[in-house]
Each structure stands twice: as C-alpha cells, then as structure tokens.
Amino acid sequence: MKKSILLTGAAGFVASHLAERLLSEGYRVLGVDNLCTGRMKNIEGLLQHPDFTFLEADVSRELPDAVRMQNWEWVMHFASPASPPKYNALPIETMLVNGEGTKLLLDICKARGAKFFFASTSEVYGDPLVHPQPESYWGNVNSIGVRSIYDEGKRYGEAMTYAFHRTHQVDVRVIRIFNTYGPKMDPEDGRVVTNLMFQALKNEPMTIYGDGTQTRSFQYVSDLVEGVIKLMNTNYVWPVNLGNPGEFTILEFADLVKKVVPTQSELVFRPLPSDDPKQRKPVIELANKVLAWEPKVKLEDGLRMTLEYFKKFEI
Ligand code: UDP
C-alpha cells in the first residue's frame, strides 16, 4: 500500500514542485488549493498521474469528512500567499490559512496519527538584527506593520505546531524557507525575481526599491525540495532553515539578471516599502548537520533555467 500525503497549496509555486517529487518517491498525493494565488497551470501535468488527486478547497475551513478521516502518513501545509503584494492583497486570508488552517490540519494529524510538516519562512526573523540568521534567533518583527499579516501568521503557525507537539505528541517538522525562485513562479507575484526578469525581457525599466543596497539570498526550488524530502526522512522536530547562503544586494541581483537576460532596460528607483528587511542570509549549519544538505544550484544557473520557463509566457 502506498503512503498518502495531504499537501496544501499544491497549485502554488513551491508545493507543485514538491508534489511532483513526492509522486516520484512513491507517495499518493491529495493536493488541496483554493487557487487564491495558486494556478492550475502548475499542476496540469500531474492531473493525469494515477496517484495524484486535486481538491479545490480552502484549508482555513474544515475539510470534508472523507478527507479528514483518511489514514494520512503526512499532512504538509504549504498553502499561503507568500509574496508581499499578494499577502497584502489578501491580508485576512493569509492570517487565517496560517492560523486557523494550521490548527485544523493539526487536528487531523492528532486524530489520524499523521505527521505534520509546516512550511514556515525566513520572515519570522523580520528585519533581522542578527546577521546571518540562525534558527536560534527570535527575530525582529513589527507586529502591526504591513508585513505582520505574513510574519505573525507564520509565527502563529509555528507556535500552534509546537503546541500540538507538546500537548498531543504530534510528530512535526518545520522549515523556514528563504527567498526561493524557479520555474512555475507566478509572473505577477510582484517579487524581485519575477519583476526584474520580466521587465528585462520586455525592455522595460527595472524597478529597484530603495537604493538597492538591501540584501537577499536566493535559493533554486529544486534545492528546497531536496531539503524537504531529507527532513521528512529524519526525526528532527525543530525548525530548520532552508536557503542558499549566497548573499546579493538587489543591485548585484539586477546586474546578474541583465547578464542572463539580454536587455536594453535601465534601472529605475522606487520608494522602499515599509519594514522591508535590510539584509537576509541563512545560517545553514543545522541543515548541513541534520540533513547532510546544502544547496547545489548557483544563482546564475538557476536564473537561466527560470528564464527558459518565463520565455514561454506571452511578452
Ligand atoms: N524589490 C525590488 N524591486 C522589485 C521587487 C522587489 O527592488 O521590483 C526588492 C524588495 O524591496 C526587497 C527585495 O527586492 O528588498 C526582495 O523582494 P521580494 O518581494 O522578492 O521578497 P521579500 O524577500 O522582500 O519577501
């Protein structure tokens, strides 16, 4: 008998890649998504797969009995708007999916003896005062700022996960995902990777927010998925950073985009959104030690692979 996984956010960028990998690992997957930011295009290829089923539903509300009562090996919670413009457009939904959604999915785990896997984020570190960020850092989050819906939503989700772990002995895994990119990203998600690459493709001005000296670390999606699979195969229950420690200013990132995408675009500077973290880079010693994991794909190579996907869109 194949083991079954309930995967939320399955039509989204990250979980659609994960679904594909889980199927190749021999799991049966029920993908759930309410399509508020996910796109059916991302899972078109999976709908034919005999071990993949899709359910359009909002996991912030109780799922149908037939779903809740199944013998799940894992419930993996990847559903959430994740780019700043998208979670700002869906503030209440973002809080609910990470808050109530996480609680309802943990109820299923408790009732069915399933393991719970929570996709958290580097945003739990907020605008970090410690650099680079280890898992032991508690973060610097503005609880009423424009990012709080996502940051505090994910922090609540982590807290709920450990409440169920401590109170009901639910077996849990938590990852903190740093900026991730690759094919299947939504071209309109408003992130720096999609904005700059599409602007370059269209020879439009490339928008730099602030002075471009803020930093980010970019991880290719296949590296992230590899880390997820490795964590599923351990007994480690505490949060693990998954990200690429290569750190780039946004200006350096724009230069790299120009190298990968031949373009006549010029840079234009726009106001920095409030609470935009000044720096971000993961410490990955823990993932290295517990999972024997490290990212393999260099940013330039990953951007070239992503470009092949973006080129298929009508420009
Ligand atoms: N950014 C930018 N131009 C854009 C989009 C984003 O300069 O067109 C900046 C943004 O202000 C942030 C960084 O790039 O400092 C990464 O933004 P993104 O939305 O990709 O993710 P974040 O890490 O902020 O959640």
Side-chain angles (χ1 to χ4, degrees):
M1 267 292 274
K2 292 197 169 190
K3 292 178 173 164
S4 297
I5 294 183
L6 171 57
L7 175 63
T8 78
F13 159 52
V14 169
S16 59
H17 284 275
L18 178 59
E20 208 173 313
R21 176 68 187 271
L22 292 170
L23 291 167
S24 74
E25 296 281 322
Y27 290 101
R28 218 179 270 283
V29 177
L30 171 65
V32 183
D33 205 302
N34 70 350
L35 303 176
C36 74
T37 55
R39 299 176 306 146
M40 284 310 285
K41 191 179 175 8
N42 286 345
I43 51 171
E44 257 167 15
L46 299 183
L47 295 174
Q48 274 44 274
H49 196 293
D51 292 326
F52 183 79
T53 314
F54 179 72
L55 171 70
E56 186 175 336
D58 180 358
V59 297
S60 306
R61 305 217 175 100
E62 202 152 77
L63 289 168
D65 283 356
V67 173
R68 286 188 295 118
M69 297 307 167
Q70 275 191 51
N71 274 331
W72 301 109
E73 176 78 8
W74 286 98
V75 174
M76 303 184 75
H77 189 19
F78 281 69
S80 176
S83 76
K86 293 281 176 173
Y87 59 68
N88 272 305
L90 298 164
I92 317 282
E93 292 85 344
T94 302
M95 293 217 71
L96 283 176
V97 74
N98 290 296
E100 188 63 9
T102 301
K103 193 262 175 190
L104 290 170
L105 294 165
L106 279 157
D107 279 337
I108 299 178
C109 292
K110 181 187 163 209
R112 309 307 303 163
K115 291 174 270 192
F116 184 67
F117 196 115
F118 183 57
S120 185
T121 169
S122 55
E123 283 285 327
V124 299
Y125 302 124
D127 189 3
L129 305 176
V130 168
H131 190 73
Q133 296 80 51
E135 291 83 350
S136 54
Y137 178 48
W138 291 355
N140 177 41
V141 173
N142 174 1
S143 63
I144 57 166
V146 289
R147 287 186 176 242
S148 64
I149 45 192
Y150 187 64
D151 300 13
E152 298 291 10
K154 289 290 185 187
R155 288 168 70 97
Y156 180 102
E158 286 195 9
M160 186 61 83
T161 300
Y162 290 106
F164 270 73
H165 176 65
R166 291 191 175 102
T167 313
H168 301 299
Q169 292 73 51
V170 174
D171 193 7
V172 301
R173 307 285 181 277
V174 173
I175 53 168
R176 293 184 178 149
I177 304 174
F178 285 66
N179 295 58
T180 303
Y181 69 98
K184 296 191 181 179
M185 284 182 98
D186 178 355
E188 289 179 355
D189 70 0
R191 288 174 177 281
V192 73
V193 174
T194 38
N195 278 6
L196 266 52
M197 287 186 82
F198 275 98
Q199 288 159 349
L201 275 167
K202 294 193 262 188
N203 291 310
E204 287 175 359
M206 292 164 72
T207 51
I208 305 292
Y209 299 164
D211 62 6
T213 57
Q214 71 272 34
T215 69
R216 292 294 186 273
S217 304
F218 300 94
Q219 155 177 251
Y220 192 64
V221 65
S222 62
D223 283 329
L224 170 62
V225 168
E226 183 65 23
V228 171
I229 300 291
K230 287 193 160 187
L231 186 59
M232 291 168 76
N233 293 328
T234 70
N235 293 320
Y236 189 78
V237 297
W238 299 107
V240 179
N241 286 342
L242 291 178
N244 190 318
E247 185 184 11
F248 297 81
T249 66
I250 295 306
L251 286 174
E252 288 168 340
F253 178 74
D255 277 346
L256 201 56
V257 170
K258 283 186 157 193
K259 188 173 166 198
V260 170
V261 188
T263 184
Q264 271 113 52
S265 297
E266 305 276 340
L267 304 186
V268 289
F269 291 84
R270 296 277 177 264
L272 188 69
S274 57
D275 295 336
D276 197 285
K278 283 179 268 314
Q279 48 187 1
R280 188 183 287 153
K281 167 183 166 149
V283 174
I284 59 163
E285 269 165 41
L286 184 68
N288 207 286
K289 204 170 90 196
V290 177
L291 312 178
W293 174 89
E294 61 179 3
K296 298 265 186 305
V297 181
K298 287 205 193 77
L299 182 53
E300 187 173 334
D301 298 339
L303 289 180
R304 288 188 196 283
M305 293 189 273
T306 308
L307 178 64
E308 289 314 304
Y309 174 79
F310 286 170
K311 274 185 188 162
K312 291 184 200 135
F313 284 85
E314 293 214 355
I315 307 287

